[in-house]
Amino acid sequence: MSYSQKLLACASALRAVLPDSERQGRVLAAIEKTEHDTRLDPPLQGIQRAVHALPLSEEDRDVLHGHWLGHPLHPALVQIPLGTWFSAAVLDLIPGKRRHYAPAMLIATGLVAAVPAAVTGWVDWAELRKPQMRVGLVHALANSTAIFLYASSLGARVRGRSVRGRALGYAGLAAVSIGGALGGHLAYRQAAAVNHAEDIPVRTEPGWHALGAVTDLPVGKAVRRTVGETPVLVVRASGNAVHVLADRCSHMAGPLSQGEIVDGCVRCPWHGSVFRLSDGWNVSGPATSPQPVFETRHVDGQVEARLA
Ligand code: FES
């Protein structure tokens, strides 16, 4: 069989296992229904309170959010259990007794790696909006089921019950695949934990834009203005220096102009991310991306701003 024939065979095999467009629509509709399913709400608040009550400092939480990495840590950590468990499934397809140790080792590695992946996921989850939290809860349930099935698979393998171990492993793979699909929906459809200020340089017209008279700006207080079409937070510091940041918080698009101004920083009113007014640096999370900053100048008593 030539290379192109193999490719075509793979493509038709993939088409056979993927749902047709009608079933795809039903799957998507079911996930979207989850976003609006208020029956999931009673446990949400309790779990959120429990996550907030974990004995973690603000610095610990920043590490878990991925502040040091510049993007969320959770999606990076989940690669380890996903990779080891998928590799175990491939090895399980190969006949021969000596290989049974390798899948067991991979499953055990995945179980250990699932712990930090789950912790980072819960810490991120507790700072989401409700529709995202609902999907996140089902995502976590699917992954918890996978962890249970893989732990049972490992136990069966250790007791020498390899057929049962393989069957449980494949059931675990199915559960973690559902969890992964929901995680994809959370990130790519619901924009959870992505940088919500990423498009500011594209959407903001270049050049200087008038923001009004400097004397109209209250000292030390946040006000909302626009630079072209882009909403911005404007703070007049003492000495007439004026700081301008994009108003939509990079974490989840919260209105920074309604935030608190403390020590040269603004604290987002939604989840408490802190951004330095002088350069937009995200001093603390849950935001993992800095805030776009504008440079300012004074012309005849008027303040003008442009994207730095
Ligand atoms: S929107 Fe979440 S910290 Fe600003």
Side-chain angles (χ1 to χ4, degrees), residues 127 249-254 256 268-273 275 285-287:
E127 314 301 340
C249 175
S250 67
H251 176 234
M252 296 290 290
L256 291 183
C268 177
W270 283 8
H271 308 104
S273 290
F275 300 95

Side-chain angles (χ1 to χ4, degrees), residues 11-304:
S12 52
L14 202 57
R15 268 203 305 275
V17 296
L18 286 175
D20 58 31
S21 57
E22 197 183 319
R23 277 187 292 156
Q24 283 171 16
R26 283 204 294 269
V27 171
L28 192 55
I31 299 176
E32 284 176 349
K33 221 168 147 188
T34 308
E35 292 178 22
H36 307 290
D37 191 345
T38 51
R39 286 172 304 174
L40 293 167
D41 289 357
L44 290 188
Q45 274 192 329
I47 301 172
Q48 189 184 35
R49 264 200 303 272
V51 175
H52 284 159
L54 287 173
L56 296 168
S57 67
E58 202 167 283
E59 290 75 22
D60 295 337
R61 285 177 194 272
D62 279 352
V63 169
L64 296 171
H65 284 307
H67 181 270
W68 54 280
L69 197 56
H71 59 75
L73 181 56
H74 174 70
L77 291 182
V78 299
Q79 305 306 317
I80 305 170
L82 285 178
T84 51
W85 291 342
F86 187 77
S87 303
V90 173
L91 289 181
D92 273 344
L93 291 173
I94 303 170
K97 285 197 167 177
R98 282 174 55 201
R99 288 200 184 85
H100 290 170
Y101 293 107
M105 281 296 294
L106 286 167
I107 288 172
T109 306
L111 285 169
V112 173
V115 175
V119 172
T120 52
W122 281 116
V123 171
D124 285 348
W125 174 88
E127 314 301 340
L128 295 179
R129 286 196 291 264
K130 222 167 212 177
Q132 299 164 334
M133 290 174 98
R134 292 179 189 131
V135 176
L137 188 63
V138 182
H139 162 76
L141 283 175
N143 290 336
S144 303
T145 305
I147 290 170
F148 172 76
L149 289 166
Y150 273 113
S152 306
S153 167
L154 186 61
R157 287 165 201 262
V158 168
R159 290 194 301 276
R161 302 175 66 184
S162 65
V163 174
R164 185 179 165 78
R166 287 178 192 207
L168 285 165
Y170 283 114
L173 189 64
V176 82
S177 300
I178 293 169
L182 290 168
H185 183 87
L186 260 173
Y188 301 116
R189 187 88 178 197
Q190 293 185 283
V194 300
N195 178 3
H196 285 261
E198 191 275 339
D199 61 339
I200 297 293
V202 182
R203 289 199 299 113
T204 306
E205 298 85 347
W208 291 100
H209 298 262
L211 292 177
V214 67
T215 47
D216 288 348
L217 299 170
V219 176
K221 287 220 172 79
V223 292
R224 188 175 185 273
R225 294 281 190 272
T226 52
V227 169
E229 300 285 307
T230 306
V232 292
L233 148 89
V234 181
V235 179
R236 178 182 166 196
S238 55
N240 279 353
V242 177
H243 302 296
V244 180
L245 300 182
D247 192 39
R248 283 161 47 112
C249 175
S250 67
H251 176 234
M252 296 290 290
L256 291 183
S257 52
Q258 293 172 26
E260 193 187 355
I261 305 296
V262 186
D263 295 336
C265 296
V266 58
R267 182 180 286 274
C268 177
W270 283 8
H271 308 104
S273 290
V274 175
F275 300 95
R276 201 157 52 207
L277 291 170
S278 57
D279 58 3
W281 176 244
N282 47 323
V283 176
S284 69
T288 54
S289 301
Q291 201 61 15
V293 66
F294 293 74
E295 54 186 346
T296 57
R297 69 179 183 186
H298 296 253
V299 179
D300 299 331
Q302 301 287 312
V303 181
E304 294 183 349

